[in-house]
Amino acid sequence: MAGTGPTLSVDGTGLRVVIVAGLWHDVITDGLIAGATRVLEASGASWSLVRVPGSFELPVACKVALENGADAAVALGVIIRGGTPHFEFVSNAATDGLTRVALDTGKPVGFGVLTLDDEQQGLDRAGLPGSKEDKGEEAASAALATAILLRELRS
């Protein structure tokens, strides 16, 4: 699978990471989770998975996880455009909320929320067989790399 993002290989030994994933669009989300877990396992980080109803709930769950000892969070969700403004409301709330969580806690949140026009776009980006990209892998890699950088900056 040819990704467009950087490939990051990091040593996550000693880091605790929480994957927070929505329940909607489970085929796509499960692919994102698989990509994230592959990266975390390869890095040596310890990780756990928490499922929330949807992308709107990602920020609050990430915040609680980070406030309770996690070094990083990986937020995974799927938002597919419909015929109402709901798409924009949820997309903006998730994006702004996850940014605020990272800034308020001083800990990284890997952003793996897919905003899509249709389901096929998600299947193409979910790291599934035949996918062109693996956004779950990219989100976990970014969270790990940032957690390590922040640890170095603080020492």
Side-chain angles (χ1 to χ4, degrees):
M1 160 179 5
T4 57
T7 301
L8 304 173
S9 178
V10 297
D11 180 2
T13 304
L15 291 177
R16 183 172 157 233
V17 181
V18 176
I19 300 170
V20 182
L23 291 169
W24 283 92
H25 309 290
D26 60 335
V27 171
I28 299 168
T29 306
D30 289 348
L32 295 172
I33 292 168
T37 59
R38 278 192 304 274
V39 167
L40 296 173
E41 288 174 359
S43 77
S46 66
W47 62 274
S48 59
L49 172 66
V50 175
R51 300 299 295 261
V52 295
S55 294
F56 186 82
E57 292 78 22
L58 292 170
V60 69
C62 285
K63 184 172 186 191
V64 170
L66 293 170
E67 289 175 339
N68 285 285
D71 298 298
V74 179
L76 305 174
V78 178
I79 308 168
I80 299 179
R81 186 179 307 278
T84 69
H86 181 76
F87 173 86
E88 283 80 14
F89 298 151
V90 174
S91 297
N92 289 337
T95 301
D96 293 346
L98 292 169
T99 300
R100 181 173 166 193
V101 167
L103 293 172
D104 288 352
T105 63
K107 296 180 180 180
V109 177
F111 189 83
V113 180
L114 303 184
T115 53
L116 313 165
D117 289 321
D118 57 50
E119 186 177 38
Q120 187 58 51
Q121 287 180 335
L123 296 170
D124 288 342
R125 298 167 69 197
L128 299 166
S131 292
K132 298 171 186 155
E133 299 176 84
D134 189 335
K135 294 301 183 181
E137 178 182 294
E138 291 177 22
S141 293
L144 280 172
T146 305
I148 291 167
L149 172 66
L150 293 175
R151 182 170 54 190
E152 291 170 2
L153 290 172
R154 290 179 176 126
S155 62

